[in-house]
């Protein structure tokens, strides 16, 4: 296998059969040594962070696949801390699709004039473009269409798929007394047939989860969620 | 008449008959002594700036009213540097509706990864909330609806009205060899009957206009545009 990209939290290898292997690392994003899933820089290294993220990812992807929602996930190898996925082309230069159930984070920072911190939101979806230099700006469906990134109908498909997937994650977390406040997904198109697929990981690093009104950090989330 | 609000570039008075008088000032927005229509702070005072803005505003409002598009404009008094308008309720705590014909300013700063500076845009509309403290963030139609600021259908009405008005302004400028790159409008609801109205001024301070590829500052724009 051949290394094709060294990411902030995962390295990407191409396999001989056209599939892709994602190797999860113990590097996590953050700033000033504090883990922050929303940050754009690697802030620190935590032993076991990669494996923890992979366990969550495997759990959610197997569940989502079983609901016949198209994803890139093929298999996970916990010992190797890696997973095999379909080769997908990111949308544009990469988009992040955020689904919000409560007004926290950047949503609240922007719209505090019209919202209370933590107020319920009805599966609010917004898209940001991956552009570290420009702080991952949000982008509207009109702009996605005008700039040739995503058509209006493709946006609607993306939005519906996002809400469907995030509701699954939210319901699963709720079974353990955990509440999903917001979550960030990525999508791509299957290089073999163009199908829209959920890609990347689904772990504590992509979501804000609270228990009894207290934020649950990613590694603790995995322990709470995957324990019997 | 009674002063009800001192704005950055205009003072607002209530008249006895329920109408409103807007008194244009020579203060203009900008930073570090440089006139910048997009800025949130008063940067400098320019003799004649108020009257210049009012002349442009009168010209465009009389034209737009004549096309049967609902606006707040009733009359202008150039000697008094003031205009009389219908009393309108701003949307939420105030929205700005931007219509873009070319990728410049904050649009280009956000989407440089997907656009060339100055590239043509097809009457791209976006809304920002007036919130100096938070840098006037953009807001999507989904968020406007979810936060109870504007319903989806009201947003569509706002967007179509914006494009219709801005095309009128663009065509008028084009007759003098001037090209509209982008423009910022405000809307409100007529307090007497709830009708959606174009409000505020329409002048060089609300738009970016170019001539032969060179930016034309607001006062020069008025001289070029309103000269015979």
């Amino acid at each position: 296998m051949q290394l094709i990209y060294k990411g902030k939290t995962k390295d990407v290898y191409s396999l001989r059969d056209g599939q892709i292997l994602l190797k999860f690392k113990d590097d996590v994003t953050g700033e000033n040594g504090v883990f922050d899933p929303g940050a754009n820089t690697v802030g620190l290294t935590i032993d076991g962070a990669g494996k923890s993220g992979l366990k969550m990812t495997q759990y959610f992807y197997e569940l989502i696949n079983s609901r016949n929602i198209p994803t890139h996930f093929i298999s996970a190898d916990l010992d190797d801390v890696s997973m095999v996925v379909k080769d997908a082309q990111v949308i544009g230069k990469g988009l992040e699709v955020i689904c919000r159930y409560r007004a926290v984070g950047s949503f609240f920072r922007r719209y505090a004039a019209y919202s209370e911190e933590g107020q319920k939101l009805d599966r609010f979806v917004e898209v940001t473009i991956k552009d570290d230099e420009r702080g991952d700006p949000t982008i509207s469906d009109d702009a996605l269409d005008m700039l040739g990134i995503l058509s209006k109908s493709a946006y609607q498909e993306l939005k519906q798929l996002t809400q469907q997937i995030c509701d699954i994650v939210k319901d699963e977390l709720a079974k353990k007394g955990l509440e999903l406040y917001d979550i960030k997904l990525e999508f791509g198109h299957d290089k073999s047939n163009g199908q829209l697929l959920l890609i990347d990981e689904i772990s504590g690093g992509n979501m804000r989860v609270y228990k009894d009104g207290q934020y649950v950090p990613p590694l603790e989330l995995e322990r709470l969620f995957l324990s019997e």
Side-chain angles (χ1 to χ4, degrees), chain A:
Chain A
M1 66 187 197
Q2 193 185 343
L3 179 68
I4 51 175
Y5 178 70
K6 283 186 87 73
K8 277 177 277 200
T9 61
K10 288 185 286 294
D11 292 333
V12 181
Y13 298 84
S14 66
L15 302 176
R16 285 204 189 132
D17 52 7
Q19 295 178 340
I20 297 292
L21 185 134
L22 300 177
K23 182 90 181 160
F24 285 55
K25 300 194 281 195
D26 286 340
D27 297 335
V28 300
T29 54
E31 279 176 9
N32 305 320
V34 179
F35 190 1
D36 175 4
N40 273 327
T41 49
V42 169
L44 64 167
T45 299
I46 302 173
D47 281 348
K51 190 166 187 169
S52 172
L54 180 59
K55 281 160 97 172
M56 292 283 277
T57 297
Q58 178 182 24
Y59 182 91
F60 283 119
Y61 267 111
E62 288 178 349
L63 180 65
I64 293 162
N65 275 355
S66 77
R67 305 278 175 92
N68 291 316
I69 292 170
T71 82
H72 73 157
F73 181 83
I74 296 170
S75 64
D77 181 337
L78 288 175
D79 292 329
D80 187 49
V81 199
S82 67
M83 71 179 186
V84 177
V85 299
K86 294 177 185 172
D87 195 6
Q89 179 66 45
V90 299
I91 301 169
K93 297 168 186 176
L95 301 179
E96 291 186 335
V97 187
I98 300 155
C99 187
R100 301 180 181 278
Y101 296 89
R102 288 207 183 247
V104 290
S106 74
F107 182 94
F108 179 69
R109 284 197 295 276
R110 279 174 279 150
Y111 307 133
Y114 293 93
S115 57
E116 298 291 322
E117 185 161 22
Q119 86 172 46
K120 287 198 177 181
L121 301 175
D122 182 18
R123 311 189 304 165
F124 174 69
V125 173
E126 64 186 349
V127 176
T128 63
I129 55 175
K130 294 180 85 160
D131 188 340
D132 289 356
E133 197 187 328
R134 297 178 185 89
D136 294 345
T138 59
I139 187 163
S140 70
D141 54 343
D142 281 347
L144 286 166
D145 183 45
M146 188 162 294
L147 295 175
I149 302 169
L150 206 60
S151 71
K152 289 292 188 80
S153 61
Y155 179 83
Q156 286 306 317
E157 184 189 354
L158 187 80
K159 180 177 162 180
Q160 281 162 23
L161 208 50
T162 296
Q163 291 178 325
Q164 199 181 350
I165 291 164
C166 297
D167 279 357
I168 292 172
V169 174
K170 187 174 197 304
D171 290 348
E172 281 300 301
L173 289 164
K175 291 176 187 169
K176 299 286 177 98
L178 298 161
E179 184 182 349
L180 181 63
Y181 274 30
D182 57 28
I183 175 169
K184 184 173 70 183
L185 304 180
E186 288 188 43
F187 290 87
H189 289 103
D190 189 331
K191 283 189 183 168
S192 72
N193 63 13
Q195 186 179 34
L196 186 66
L197 300 175
L198 178 67
I199 65 172
D200 200 46
E201 64 183 281
I202 307 178
S203 69
N206 304 69
M207 57 183 85
R208 280 194 190 87
V209 174
Y210 283 64
K211 186 180 173 71
D212 303 326
Q214 291 292 312
Y215 172 69
V216 182
L219 274 80
E220 190 184 331
L221 173 63
E222 179 257 314
R223 283 189 294 268
L224 283 171
F225 179 67
L226 294 180
S227 63
E228 289 313 304

